[in-house]
Amino acid sequence: IFGGLLNKIWKRLYNQEAPYYEPTVLGLPDRAESEYPDELWIHVNGIMTDFKGGKSSCERMYKMFGRPVGLLHNPTDGIILDLLECIAGKTGLLQYGAIEPRENLMKVLKEKLEGAKNSKPPIKKVVLIAHSQGTIITGNVISNLGRCPRGEGVVDEDLDRLMKELLEVYIIAGCAHHMPRNCKHLECLSNGGDTVAWLGHAFPNVLKPIWRNTWFNGIFYSKDDTSIIEHDLWGHLLGPHYLDPMTEGRYASSKLVKEYMTSNISREAGESAPLIK
């Protein structure tokens, strides 16, 4: 009863800017026209990011990785509501698809994975990059996609197989409570001095089982994933604190850096990084 009432209240509050998925960000080439037409890349942004800021992130990643990145926009409703949404999503108060970005990501991933072979051209890889609050949304989605509401058991074996064949997930500054390995490849990248990541990925491993959500589950990040923490780096913003260091050789063991970074990426001396939240 409480959960249903909270969902109704939240949907009334969460109504300032409609979230949606833009598969081809204006100014970037269509997937079919890119050098990697069989790859689909999606970005889920963090808090306090309007659509313009989300597009800037996608444009920046296109320059770095050479693949057009679609935007699954997680709109901002101001710092207070954004933070309340993060708390609710992390603690499990909103576990039943109450917020639209989660519903949209669930729908997009299901549609793209199930239609991968029949897509023109066929999709052989789906790459999902999430940052900050986007990691909470992503963690909840990949925990439940094709599974029972509480993630106990598989109800869609075909979808589960497609996730493990096609889906790569990259969690940047992860603050999600639960991040299972329900996909082909999972990486978590954080800065040691990122206070938001301290709430999830960078939370001390020995204490993770103690911090319980409303389902009495401790913080869980799959031990099978690639966990990368740059202990001497600080900051939480996607552009200056994560993407910039990538171009300078940090997170060197990440697949994003080893396999996807374009060889000609470089920043001229004195060039300022775009403000990306």
Side-chain angles (χ1 to χ4, degrees), residues 64-78:
M64 291 177 61
F65 305 121
R67 282 87 166 168
V69 182
L71 176 63
L72 193 296
H73 187 219
N74 166 38
T76 180
D77 286 289

Side-chain angles (χ1 to χ4, degrees), residues 8-274:
K8 290 181 180 180
I9 295 173
W10 190 263
K11 283 196 172 185
R12 287 185 174 274
L13 290 173
Y14 192 86
N15 194 34
Q16 294 185 20
E17 183 183 359
Y20 65 99
Y21 172 58
E22 183 169 303
T24 303
V25 171
L26 185 64
L28 300 185
D30 183 79
R31 176 177 67 88
E33 301 171 353
S34 72
E35 295 182 37
Y36 307 92
D38 57 354
E39 297 182 15
L40 176 68
W41 286 51
I42 302 171
H43 171 55
V44 186
N45 60 273
I47 69 170
M48 295 298 294
T49 304
D50 59 14
F51 184 68
K52 182 178 179 181
K55 285 178 61 177
S56 295
S57 298
C58 294
E59 292 165 357
R60 178 72 188 282
M61 286 186 280
Y62 169 67
K63 293 178 181 178
M64 291 177 61
F65 305 121
R67 282 87 166 168
V69 182
L71 176 63
L72 193 296
H73 187 219
N74 166 38
T76 180
D77 286 289
I79 185 64
I80 295 176
L81 284 182
D82 282 2
L83 289 176
L84 285 174
E85 183 183 327
C86 288
I87 294 170
K90 179 174 175 61
T91 60
L93 290 175
L94 297 179
Q95 288 283 4
Y96 300 98
I99 62 170
E100 291 183 79
R102 187 190 307 174
E103 294 174 343
N104 285 356
L105 181 58
M106 185 89 71
K107 178 181 177 181
V108 168
L109 285 181
K110 187 175 187 295
E111 175 186 313
K112 298 303 180 182
L113 289 170
E114 292 180 339
K117 291 184 178 179
N118 297 323
S119 180
K120 295 183 179 179
I123 297 172
K124 297 181 180 180
K125 182 182 298 184
V126 177
V127 177
L128 177 61
I129 301 177
H131 171 248
S132 186
Q133 183 191 7
T135 70
I136 297 176
I137 295 169
T138 298
N140 288 331
V141 167
I142 66 174
S143 293
N144 296 324
L145 190 60
R147 287 167 169 74
C148 295
R150 294 186 58 155
E152 299 168 351
V154 177
V155 295
D156 190 331
E157 293 183 359
D158 289 336
L159 184 56
D160 184 65
R161 173 181 53 80
L162 289 169
M163 290 176 67
K164 292 175 180 176
E165 288 180 0
L166 304 177
L167 183 61
E168 296 184 7
V169 179
Y170 297 88
I171 298 299
I172 299 178
C175 49
H177 201 82
H178 195 242
M179 194 61 62
R181 178 72 177 273
N182 296 341
C183 53
K184 181 179 180 180
H185 182 77
L186 173 65
E187 282 188 15
C188 299
L189 292 74
S190 295
N191 292 334
D194 184 342
T195 54
V196 176
W198 293 353
L199 303 176
H201 175 225
F203 196 70
N205 288 330
V206 68
L207 298 178
K208 283 179 179 176
I210 299 175
W211 186 350
R212 304 286 178 135
N213 62 11
T214 54
W215 284 348
F216 302 101
N217 295 325
I219 295 177
F220 174 79
Y221 280 71
S222 171
K223 295 180 180 180
D224 296 326
D225 70 335
T226 298
S227 177
I228 303 170
I229 299 179
E230 293 283 3
H231 293 281
D232 62 327
L233 294 184
W234 289 76
H236 179 67
L237 299 182
L238 178 59
H241 300 140
Y242 283 95
L243 298 183
D244 279 1
M246 279 188 191
T247 67
E248 298 163 359
R250 306 305 291 264
Y251 320 103
S253 60
S254 168
K255 190 174 180 179
L256 287 175
V257 176
K258 291 190 298 183
E259 296 188 23
Y260 294 135
M261 186 85 74
T262 56
S263 58
N264 61 350
I265 182 68
S266 63
R267 293 180 59 217
E268 299 178 2
E271 180 185 358
S272 60

